[in-house]
Amino acid sequence: MKDKSNLLLTMLMTVSAVACIVLWHIEILWVFVLSAVPFFCVQLLLCRLCGRWWLRLQPILPIAVLGGMALFYLVRDSGWDRLGALIFGLAAIAPTVGIALGWGVWWFFDYRKRG
């Protein structure tokens, strides 16, 4: 059962990542919402398969880069040029939600398994 759910998570991650790439060329606003799904799957797989806590933190790195770029453009630019900061900030929200949901689901099922 565990192997089936890991395979299902991997397939869902792959399909949603391809959908994000395709939607990037069709309607970019969907990417801001749909990008939570691959990050959720990656985080849940890492939590299920990795025993080390620092390996589970790897999906946070791209979010930190986007947040750093948003902060950089927010400090550096002024007026309408701060639109870059808004775009990078919005791009970081959905993956952050996906990662948080992945941690939450893993914690919930781990808590139920222990108790």
Side-chain angles (χ1 to χ4, degrees):
M1 183 65 180
K2 189 174 182 180
D3 291 335
K4 274 186 168 181
S5 60
N6 289 344
L7 182 63
L8 181 67
L9 279 171
T10 305
M11 288 174 33
L12 181 63
M13 179 201 56
T14 306
V15 168
S16 61
V18 169
C20 283
I21 292 170
V22 169
L23 286 175
W24 179 271
H25 298 290
I26 297 172
E27 183 63 42
I28 196 168
L29 292 176
W30 277 103
V31 176
F32 289 133
V33 176
L34 190 63
S35 62
V37 177
F39 277 91
F40 168 75
C41 295
V42 165
Q43 185 62 56
L44 194 55
L45 278 171
L46 281 175
C47 286
R48 291 173 59 130
L49 298 176
C50 296
R52 304 191 195 283
W53 65 269
W54 55 273
L55 287 174
R56 295 177 185 159
L57 297 177
Q58 284 182 348
I60 296 175
L61 292 175
I63 308 303
V65 169
L66 283 174
M69 290 175 72
L71 184 63
F72 172 75
Y73 283 121
L74 187 66
V75 170
R76 188 188 79 162
D77 296 336
S78 64
W80 280 100
D81 293 334
R82 287 189 174 177
L83 185 62
L86 176 67
I87 291 171
F88 285 121
L90 285 175
I93 291 172
T96 304
V97 169
I99 289 172
L101 284 174
W103 276 101
V105 167
W106 174 74
W107 178 82
F108 177 73
F109 283 110
D110 190 50
Y111 182 75
R112 282 188 53 197
K113 185 172 63 174
R114 288 184 191 176

